[in-house]
Amino acid sequence: MRLDQNPVFRKVIVSWYDTEKACGIMIFFMVCVLLFGIGGILVCRENPAYHAYLWVPILLIVLSAGVIISTAIRMTKRRRAQFSK
């Protein structure tokens, strides 16, 4: 007997790492990394010996902002789909 591909009562199974709580925790930690990168830029600008390493905090800021934006978009899409039911 074949399994029904479109059952009547179908629930979307959300992975543990894609839950609201996990996404909120990830956004919190990425904001901390973003602030750490801003602090790194301030330190690099104060000390001329560190000017060559300015790319490291900039990379931290860009990558953490990308994760924050993508996670926020995912959470927004999920909530919009939840409210449209």
Side-chain angles (χ1 to χ4, degrees):
M1 181 174 188
R2 297 184 65 190
L3 294 175
D4 190 11
Q5 295 298 325
N6 293 318
V8 177
F9 301 105
R10 185 178 214 173
K11 231 179 180 182
V12 177
I13 299 173
V14 179
S15 303
W16 67 268
Y17 54 84
D18 201 25
T19 60
E20 293 286 326
K21 186 183 251 186
C23 289
I25 291 170
M26 185 175 5
I27 287 176
F28 171 74
F29 281 117
M30 288 298 111
V31 167
C32 292
V33 171
L34 188 113
L35 294 173
F36 183 73
I38 291 171
I41 286 177
L42 294 175
V43 169
C44 281
R45 292 183 69 194
E46 286 178 5
N47 194 345
Y50 296 147
H51 283 266
Y53 302 108
L54 187 63
W55 64 273
V56 176
I58 290 174
L59 183 66
L60 282 175
I61 290 172
V62 169
L63 292 177
S64 64
V67 171
I68 290 169
I69 291 169
S70 67
T71 305
I73 289 171
R74 184 183 315 144
M75 289 175 68
T76 304
K77 283 182 182 179
R78 190 179 314 134
R79 284 191 181 174
R80 193 177 298 155
Q82 188 179 27
F83 287 129
S84 68
K85 287 182 180 180

